[in-house]
Amino acid sequence: MNPLAIAQIRPTVHRLITETPVFDIHTHLYAAPFGDLLLWGPDELVTYHYLIAEVSRTDRSVSPEAFYGMTKQQQAEHIWQRLFIEHGPVSEARRGVLTALTALGADVTQPYPAIREYFASRTVEQHIDAVFAAANCSGVVMTNDPLDDAERPVWEQGFAEDKRFRAALRIDGLLVFLEKNAERLQSMGYTISPALGESDLAEARRFLSDWAKKMDPLYMAVSLPDSFRYPDDSMTSKLIKEAVIPVCRETGIPFALMIGVKRLINPALKLAGDGVGRGDVGSVARLCDENPEVNFLLTMLALENQHEVAVTARKFPNLLPFGCWWFLNDPSLIEQITRMRLELLGTSFIPQHSDCRVLDQLVYKWSHSRPIIADCLAEKYEMAVKAGWPLTEAEIARDVKDVLGENFFRFVGKS
């Protein structure tokens, strides 16, 4: 294959990024058999907590208590009126709603009830197919919590597998909220006291092993506050060292760390009330150094952490940075972070994940991120060619497949 001319690089990268299916390595989505746990449709999209936070400051005449007292439809109509009709939809969350609705065939110039009506006759299965097609997505990783009383019975009873939905074993309930969940764990047959004696730690390992067998997860995952430190004398640190790491080592399942959440800095806003804090990357480095045979995935919420994360990943091949999480999922920040990672790590990272809780968000998270990733890649290829490298389309296609999924599958050791 002949090398590309400089003028050919950018359109070639954009075409390949657009055409190549993405595998989304972290979402909060569910397959259809999980019923109401899968959120989808315009009302869920418009009332997502990103928009709740925005409407709470745009229209302060409606208190959080009054807002949460509305029906879902009333909430959606209120948000649409305040954030789309009365004010320009220029925030990333508002633009995302418009992108998703338009890509799925709705006319956003119509009154909101007409938009809702457009989707009314769809089944969840039809909507899943439409969203995956519009997002050009080959599959997603769910977030699966065995301590969720609504989710656990689905796993216990069994369900028809949709290969587009893969499992991740979420363990916040054990690592962060053990005191709250000790009774629930006991009802499930696992006696784990917050005292964390030897028998408690053995039971924690048994819990993780049992659910790893049941779910076949691509990784275990936990969301941690900015105050997380390792090692220290906390329950979280002890459980990681004495339960999570041994099970990961035994099973070969990677451990995903998502660090930087300040939970409920405004409790009145509920899920919309979380904030962000700078985490300690040194704790992750210590985990990687102590456990070179265990693979770790890492995303951090604070912009201030991103350079240290990339530098740390240069030093530890068992660390895979992924995505621009939550408050970082804005075009200017995605561009900045992706460019820096390319400069420090080449293509050995995962540039984005959607983190979406509403199925429809899969469309906009990827349609907004793909052009940014393409621009950053194209810029670096152009620099390489100017430095004398004979770049081919086959090389670009290989790298695009890597960053849109193959890097992840190689890292977790599964396909």
Side-chain angles (χ1 to χ4, degrees), residues 225-240:
D226 60 307
S227 58
F228 169 70
R229 299 293 183 272
Y230 178 91
D232 64 10
D233 58 1
S234 68
M235 285 191 299
T236 297
S237 187
K238 190 167 187 179
L239 280 164
I240 288 174

Side-chain angles (χ1 to χ4, degrees), residues 166-240:
R166 306 289 292 273
L169 175 53
R170 188 66 175 250
I171 53 178
D172 300 41
L174 175 67
L175 297 189
V176 182
F177 303 111
L178 175 58
E179 291 176 328
K180 186 176 90 172
N181 286 305
E183 187 175 327
R184 179 176 283 105
L185 281 159
Q186 187 164 12
S187 72
M188 296 167 59
Y190 304 96
T191 302
I192 308 174
S193 160
L196 294 184
E198 284 304 315
S199 64
D200 300 310
L201 292 167
E203 283 288 270
R205 291 191 290 270
R206 184 169 70 89
F207 167 76
L208 294 172
S209 295
D210 287 352
W211 280 93
K213 290 175 185 174
K214 189 179 294 289
M215 290 181 175
D216 188 26
L218 292 177
Y219 55 80
M220 299 185 198
V222 64
S223 177
L224 296 164
D226 60 307
S227 58
F228 169 70
R229 299 293 183 272
Y230 178 91
D232 64 10
D233 58 1
S234 68
M235 285 191 299
T236 297
S237 187
K238 190 167 187 179
L239 280 164
I240 288 174

Side-chain angles (χ1 to χ4, degrees), residues 13-14 17 22 324 334-335 338-339 342 349-353 365-366 368-379 381 400 403-404:
V13 174
H14 274 268
I17 285 280
V22 66
C324 298
I334 296 168
E335 179 181 0
T338 303
R339 181 177 283 114
L342 286 169
F349 65 98
I350 301 295
Q352 189 58 299
H353 67 277
K365 292 291 185 79
W366 284 108
H368 289 189
S369 291
R370 283 181 197 259
I372 301 170
I373 297 168
D375 277 338
C376 292
L377 266 175
E379 175 187 83
Y381 286 133
V400 166
V403 298
L404 294 185

